[in-house]
Amino acid sequence: LMEELLDKLKLLSYEEEALRRHNMRPLSRCPSPAPPGGWRRRPGPRRLRPHYFALPTNPGEQFFMFCTLAAWLITKAGHPFEQPQEYDDPNAVISNVLSELRSFGRPVDFPPSKLKAGYGEQVCYVLDCLAEEALKYTDFSWKRPAYPTEELEEEEITEDDAELTLNKLEEDVAEEESDNEENFIDLNVLKAQTYRSDMNDTAKQEEILQSTTDAAEWNLEVERVLPQLKVTVRTDNKDWRIHVDQMHQHKDGIESSLKETRGYLDKLHNEISRTLEKINSREKYINNQLEHLVQEYRSAQALLSEAKEKYQEGSGGVTERTRMLSEITEVLERVKQETEERGSSMTDGAPLVKIKQALTKLKQETVQMDIQIGVMEHTLLQSELKEKSNMTRDMHATVIPEATVDAY
């Protein structure tokens, strides 16, 4: 079904009208792995394969291609249909496509979720139905194939000066009969004709005792039929003699080329040898001229290595002293912080204010206690005076009440 769909899409020129119009590059025939991505991922540079919608490769890419082709086919069939965008709801797009398919009178007996994968029998069915409707709308009709008539080529007579040997004649005839590239004279027919002519000549030998044919006419007739009487025998490339001849030819060619090439190689070798000698002599001269500079360079290298060792030793001492300095700095910072805290506490008047407030509160409490003590003393004095007055009154009384006696 997918192959038939691809043929129908080609008849509708889907690459020029659908893919290029929507800035989509055609898909190649080679399969490719499915990269991760949603259905909105655009297809890459591949041509539509014969089994593109039949096998799962990239569901997102296949679904996007399905929506694009379906919208284009619906529009091609005469029903205006809006091209789906990348961020459209896939369920809404599928619903619109199926509603258009039902409007064409095509049955839909599968759930819409089957089209979400972008491949399968349902996808191929929907696209095939839409392609058929588009072909009907464009008045396309299938016709029987018209095969071209092949014209027989005229036999070409090739002239060759190859010699025919009777030993190879029957073998070459069998090979020439199976070869359809060129036409040659059938040797069996030639033998039959020769045999019949020989029989006729034998029968007429007794009758013809003297030839009455003109020699000039005979020569003209011979020249006219001579090309047709020649038999071309093809050489077999598998014959070992041909291989031997080719080997000898290649050997001669290699030897002739080797002579010329050897001269060039010898010349090049001599030039390279002279150049190497010049380089060696120049190198020796330069070494002799720069010997004192090399000695100075070596002494400078030795001094540099000593200076590096001293620098490393000095850098080690500096590192140790830097560490001690950091420790001393930390101790100094801590002492400064404690001094600042003590100074701030000494100059701060908040404790003194608190002490004054406490003294004032104590004084107030002392005054209140004095007042309470005075009140208590007054109350005690009043009670004592009252008791004393009661005792005095009782002493001066003439009659002591019975109840009073009982109380005492």
Side-chain angles (χ1 to χ4, degrees), residues 378-395:
H378 179 69
T379 304
L380 183 60
L381 181 60
Q382 288 292 333
S383 64
E384 288 178 356
L385 290 175
K386 186 176 180 180
E387 185 179 358
K388 187 177 181 181
S389 63
N390 291 331
M391 290 178 65
T392 302
R393 186 182 61 194
D394 293 338
M395 289 176 64

Side-chain angles (χ1 to χ4, degrees), residues 149-384:
T149 57
E150 297 181 357
E151 296 180 356
L152 298 176
E153 298 181 357
E154 297 181 355
E155 296 183 357
E156 296 181 357
I157 300 173
T158 56
E159 297 183 1
D160 194 358
D161 295 334
E163 295 180 357
L164 178 62
T165 59
L166 296 176
N167 295 329
K168 296 183 179 179
L169 184 59
E170 295 180 355
E171 297 178 358
D172 295 337
V173 168
E175 294 179 358
E176 289 174 358
E177 287 178 354
S178 62
D179 192 0
N180 296 325
E181 294 180 0
E182 294 182 5
N183 297 323
F184 298 99
I185 297 174
D186 193 352
L187 294 179
N188 294 325
V189 177
L190 184 60
K191 287 181 178 179
Q193 292 177 357
T194 306
Y195 178 75
R196 286 196 299 269
S197 62
D198 291 340
M199 291 296 293
N200 294 330
D201 292 339
T202 305
K204 295 179 181 180
Q205 280 181 358
E206 297 179 357
E207 297 179 359
I208 303 174
L209 299 178
Q210 186 176 0
S211 176
T212 59
T213 305
D214 189 5
E217 293 179 0
W218 179 262
N219 291 331
L220 291 175
E221 184 66 19
V222 170
E223 291 179 0
R224 185 180 67 82
V225 299
L226 182 61
Q228 299 180 6
L229 297 178
K230 287 187 177 180
V231 178
T232 302
V233 179
R234 285 190 171 185
T235 58
D236 188 6
N237 293 328
K238 298 180 181 179
D239 191 4
W240 63 271
R241 296 181 181 84
I242 297 173
H243 290 292
V244 171
D245 294 336
Q246 291 178 355
M247 291 172 62
H248 286 297
Q249 292 177 2
H250 292 318
K251 180 182 177 182
D252 296 336
I254 291 171
E255 290 179 353
S256 61
S257 301
L258 182 60
K259 291 179 181 179
E260 184 179 1
T261 306
R262 183 174 294 174
Y264 291 120
L265 292 176
D266 293 338
K267 184 178 179 181
L268 182 61
H269 174 70
N270 295 330
E271 292 179 356
I272 293 173
S273 300
R274 289 194 297 270
T275 305
L276 289 175
E277 291 177 358
K278 289 180 181 179
I279 291 172
N280 291 329
S281 62
R282 182 63 63 179
E283 184 178 359
K284 291 179 181 179
Y285 175 77
I286 292 173
N287 290 332
N288 294 329
Q289 292 293 326
L290 301 179
E291 183 67 26
H292 63 285
L293 296 177
V294 173
Q295 294 295 334
E296 292 179 359
Y297 175 74
R298 290 176 181 173
S299 60
Q301 284 289 107
L303 294 175
L304 178 60
S305 60
E306 293 177 359
K308 284 183 178 180
E309 291 178 358
K310 292 181 180 179
Y311 172 74
Q312 291 178 356
E313 293 177 358
S315 63
V318 170
T319 304
E320 183 66 22
R321 287 174 175 77
T322 303
R323 186 182 61 80
M324 293 174 63
L325 177 62
S326 63
E327 293 178 356
I328 294 171
T329 304
E330 291 179 358
V331 174
L332 179 61
E333 291 292 335
R334 187 166 59 251
V335 171
K336 285 183 178 181
Q337 186 176 0
E338 293 177 356
T339 304
E340 289 178 356
E341 290 178 355
R342 291 182 180 179
S344 61
S345 61
M346 292 175 65
T347 57
D348 192 6
L352 182 61
V353 173
K354 292 181 180 179
I355 292 171
K356 288 182 179 181
Q357 292 177 355
L359 291 174
T360 304
K361 188 174 182 181
L362 287 173
K363 287 180 180 180
Q364 291 177 357
E365 292 178 354
T366 303
V367 171
Q368 291 178 0
M369 291 184 69
D370 289 340
I371 294 172
Q372 291 178 0
I373 290 171
V375 171
M376 294 297 293
E377 288 178 354
H378 179 69
T379 304
L380 183 60
L381 181 60
Q382 288 292 333
S383 64
E384 288 178 356

Side-chain angles (χ1 to χ4, degrees), residues 35-49:
W39 78 274
R40 300 179 179 89
R41 186 176 181 86
R42 289 185 177 273
R46 295 181 290 273
R47 187 174 297 278
L48 197 62
R49 300 188 294 276

Side-chain angles (χ1 to χ4, degrees), residues 27-43:
L27 305 175
S28 66
R29 290 187 176 270
C30 58
S32 61
W39 78 274
R40 300 179 179 89
R41 186 176 181 86
R42 289 185 177 273

